[in-house]
Amino acid sequence: MQSQDVGPPSAAGPVVDVEQAEAALVEHYPRLVRLAYLVLPSGRGRSRRVLTAHSLVQRALPRGRAPAPLVPAQQAGRDGGPGYALIRLQVLRTALGRRAGLPPPLPRVWGLKLFPRSGGPDELALDHRLSTLSGPARAAHALRGLERLPDGDVREVLRAAGVADVGAALKEADRIPDPYRLLDSPGFDPCVLQVRPTDLLRRRRRLKAALVAGAALAVCGTLLGLPGDGWGPDGAAAPPAAQAALDPGRLTRVSPTAWRASARTDFSVWPARGDRTGDRALLRRALAAWVRPGKGVLVSATPGTPSGGPAGPPQLLYAGTVDTARVVVLYDGLRVARYAEPKDGTQDAVLDLARVDGAGRAGSGAVVLSRTDGNVRYLTAPWVRGAGERDLRRPDSGTRGLGLTGGVTPPLAGPAVRPEPCTSWNVLELTDGTGTRLVTDLGELVPARLTAGRPDRAHEVSGAEALRTWAPYACSLGAVRSAGVRSVNAWAFAEQPLPGGSGEAAWVCTRAETWRGGGARVLVQFRTPGGRFGVVAAKAEDVPACGERDPRVLAGVLWKSGTGDWYLLAAGGRDTASIRATGGVEGSARGHLLALRAEAGARADLEGGLEDGRSISGL
């Protein structure tokens, strides 16, 4: 467990005058703007993000002489000196404190949108992953990769920038597995830009309206022709082909009993529920926000989910008042969208999008309606007969029943974002005519389904054995938050007697599948007798191992016995015929288990032979 880093900013260093700071800014301007661009949130669009990054750097100059922070400026060969350290620190402070709101006063570009050059699939995937992190975690990743700072120096910079929990930021940044070389790619360079026009048709319409209004306003016609950013019923416009998607009267509404006779059992047969399904003004605002979100709408999408508006009128799943907000849930055959606006109008509206293509009965059992003060409310499918709350960490604690009102659950405690220590993990239990299943909130619109067993024969987590399998590894679900996860399976693939008669250890593989197909995450965990948690022995992404297509796995771990001796322990599935270790530890064994004497800190490569003659490498 990593302790929190809370402390005052670093002491002041040499005094830097404004001329020295300006020289550092001019010399390193492209790198500073790239740093700001990486740290800023991506929800407001790339054009706004580009201009904001330039604005933050241009406004980072001190007004006079200022003390430089005693934090590292750069590694050898990239030293920018105390002037650069001062400017970089100011850029980080303002970027981390930047919230969605008015665009920066300068620079401004009228009638054009500016974008960095398009990156390849790796750059796009990295940008998606960065968008799921907090601002301090994005800053940590950029300082590591772009600035080439070791973790100790990153801690100092983040503390000086006002980050309270530096340890949590570094830990969160560890979720990004991509090579840091991508940060230097053109896709993240806000100084080399592509230019596109804004909405020309809409601009022309507004220009004509301005000309009719009077000759005085004609001079300002171009400014009036800029696209509006309001999220009210008339504050967003769409191309003619999407106008139908803005009409509340054309929303698809399904009969409450349609699911009983339908050949499909998914979101397409959910009826429209809630106490505001007839509120046309609310529905129009929700549709307008989806088709063309303005400056008062915060947009988020799970990785791999297109954020554009629907091609035609979507289906209405819910419209009602939930806690302190008015909520609308829509479905367009590919995505579920949730629009929420505060009842008192004091905050921005929120639009969340999640990909749900291919969802069957198991994948369309519930949608998150709201999260308030750590509690979650769900809207359940019409075929759900009962709902309950249970702690996945305590398999014998039973289920607390939840009453459903119009398919909506009461608030139930969600899993903590950073449980330290992790003592519980609350999940939602759903019961319908086909059985009972568990789903868990991973910070997204659609909860992830939990299963257990060999991947090609996985089953619901409903029996005592499956619940006991999951209990020690429940908290590892936090490692796949906000990754677009569709389901997570836990497979206890081996049990291994420990050397010296120390009992029997368990090997469990968890695999998180995503809605987009790629990006599956695999964790192999090792747990000694009496251990409350599993220890991660290996992890991988985008590999077939431990999955339905390739239910094979091989992993190892260094283990210290009670007598102080070190061993290399390795295990594979039951179809593993032999295991061989090379490198820092040499040896082999027949069967699916291996135990070899080793030295502390030794590293070894594992290779296994399968019963059918094929080979397998260790994760």
Side-chain angles (χ1 to χ4, degrees):
M1 182 173 67
Q2 199 165 5
S3 61
Q4 288 188 343
D5 294 284
V6 179
S10 299
V15 174
V16 177
D17 58 36
V18 67
E19 290 82 8
Q20 186 180 359
E22 182 182 20
L25 187 152
V26 172
E27 180 182 357
H28 301 286
Y29 185 83
R31 193 160 87 242
L32 288 165
V33 177
R34 188 188 290 259
L35 177 65
Y37 183 82
L38 288 166
V39 176
L40 286 168
S42 61
R44 300 311 310 272
R46 292 196 298 164
S47 183
R48 174 73 62 82
R49 191 171 157 202
V50 164
L51 294 178
T52 303
H54 283 274
S55 174
L56 296 184
V57 175
Q58 292 175 15
R59 290 186 291 147
L61 282 176
R63 295 185 179 276
R65 294 168 61 84
L70 280 177
V71 295
Q74 285 291 315
Q75 287 286 7
R78 292 169 63 93
D79 193 353
Y84 177 79
L86 177 64
I87 296 296
R88 182 182 63 189
L89 182 60
Q90 181 60 26
V91 168
L92 282 174
R93 282 174 176 164
T94 52
L96 289 172
R98 183 77 185 177
R99 301 182 66 86
L102 293 176
L106 290 173
R108 297 297 294 272
V109 178
W110 303 102
L112 295 174
K113 291 185 177 181
L114 306 178
F115 306 94
R117 291 168 57 186
S118 297
D122 291 340
E123 286 84 353
L124 293 175
L126 175 59
D127 201 32
H128 276 305
R129 293 189 180 104
L130 288 172
S131 69
T132 67
L133 301 183
S134 64
R138 288 194 300 270
H141 184 78
L143 290 171
R144 284 170 167 175
L146 187 64
E147 298 289 277
R148 310 289 196 270
L149 296 185
D151 278 6
D153 294 348
V154 172
R155 290 175 182 272
E156 292 299 320
V157 175
L158 292 180
R159 284 196 192 99
V163 176
D165 195 345
V166 175
L170 290 170
K171 186 176 180 180
E172 187 180 357
D174 289 338
R175 290 164 39 190
I176 303 293
D178 302 78
Y180 292 124
R181 60 178 173 79
L182 294 177
L183 298 183
D184 290 315
S185 71
F188 297 107
D189 188 354
C191 292
V192 179
L193 301 171
Q194 300 181 91
V195 179
R196 295 289 186 273
T198 55
D199 190 333
L200 299 177
L201 290 176
R202 189 175 186 201
R203 203 164 71 199
R204 180 182 298 173
R205 287 195 297 268
R206 290 201 171 183
L207 178 58
K208 289 180 179 179
L211 289 170
V212 172
L217 294 179
V219 177
C220 302
T222 302
L223 298 180
L224 293 174
L226 288 175
D229 288 328
W231 52 268
D234 300 316
Q243 287 293 335
L246 287 168
D247 185 358
R250 301 185 66 174
L251 283 170
T252 301
R253 299 171 185 251
V254 175
S255 164
T257 59
W259 66 272
R260 299 181 183 275
S262 174
R264 299 175 58 181
T265 311
D266 56 17
F267 290 109
S268 67
V269 293
W270 277 36
R273 289 171 286 178
D275 59 359
R276 304 186 77 99
T277 56
D279 188 339
R280 292 179 61 88
L282 172 63
L283 297 177
R284 182 178 292 277
R285 291 195 295 272
L287 291 168
W290 190 359
V291 172
R292 193 182 184 104
K295 67 182 180 182
V297 179
L298 304 178
V299 181
S300 69
T302 60
T305 302
S307 58
Q315 177 182 340
L316 177 62
L317 305 186
Y318 182 86
T321 303
V322 184
D323 298 323
T324 60
R326 292 181 286 265
V327 178
V328 178
V329 182
L330 304 164
Y331 171 65
D332 71 347
L334 172 68
R335 300 160 296 173
V336 167
R338 179 189 61 190
Y339 169 83
E341 61 180 37
K343 290 192 295 185
D344 56 11
T346 57
Q347 298 178 0
D348 290 335
V350 176
L351 177 69
D352 298 318
L353 297 164
R355 184 172 171 174
V356 292
D357 49 318
R361 178 186 286 261
S364 58
V367 168
V368 172
L369 276 186
S370 72
R371 293 187 183 89
T372 306
D373 298 328
N375 295 320
V376 187
R377 282 186 189 267
Y378 294 91
L379 174 66
T380 61
W383 53 82
V384 170
R385 296 178 179 176
E389 176 186 16
R390 72 175 307 132
D391 185 353
L392 198 59
R393 289 277 295 132
R394 295 177 172 81
D396 300 323
S397 61
T399 303
R400 181 177 71 89
L402 299 172
L404 297 176
T405 304
V408 178
T409 69
L412 62 148
V417 176
R418 293 192 190 96
E420 300 213 12
C422 179
T423 57
S424 65
W425 190 278
N426 294 321
V427 295
L428 176 67
E429 183 178 272
L430 300 174
T431 302
D432 60 23
T434 64
T436 299
R437 56 183 56 89
L438 297 185
V439 295
T440 184
D441 177 24
L442 294 181
E444 298 177 351
L445 188 52
V446 180
R449 175 192 178 197
L450 299 180
T451 59
R454 183 179 168 91
D456 52 354
R457 298 191 295 271
H459 52 81
E460 303 296 342
V461 183
S462 55
E465 182 179 354
L467 290 168
R468 284 193 294 269
T469 296
W470 257 112
Y473 312 101
C475 295
S476 67
L477 288 166
V480 294
R481 287 181 62 90
S482 304
V485 172
R486 177 176 188 160
S487 63
V488 189
N489 183 65
W491 176 32
F493 66 90
E495 295 180 342
Q496 183 169 26
L498 295 173
S502 301
E504 196 168 65
W507 289 88
V508 168
C509 176
T510 60
R511 181 181 176 93
E513 300 283 1
T514 68
W515 287 99
R516 63 191 182 277
R521 299 184 182 183
V522 177
L523 290 180
V524 178
Q525 300 184 64
F526 174 82
R527 187 172 70 95
T528 54
R532 296 183 60 202
F533 306 101
V535 175
V536 176
K539 57 183 178 180
E541 186 171 343
D542 272 332
V543 297
C546 196
E548 184 176 358
R549 289 184 299 137
D550 187 10
R552 304 179 303 163
V553 61
L554 173 63
V557 68
L558 277 179
W559 174 75
K560 186 178 182 180
S561 70
T563 60
D565 297 320
W566 286 91
Y567 292 86
L568 170 65
L569 304 179
R574 294 288 180 179
D575 54 354
T576 304
S578 62
I579 302 175
R580 179 177 179 80
T582 57
V585 183
E586 300 279 346
S588 62
R590 288 187 172 277
H592 70 290
L593 302 174
L594 172 73
L596 299 172
R597 289 292 294 268
E599 299 293 332
R603 300 179 66 88
D605 296 320
L606 296 175
E607 294 289 335
L610 301 177
E611 292 177 350
D612 60 7
R614 292 181 297 167
S615 61
I616 179 175
S617 298
L619 289 178

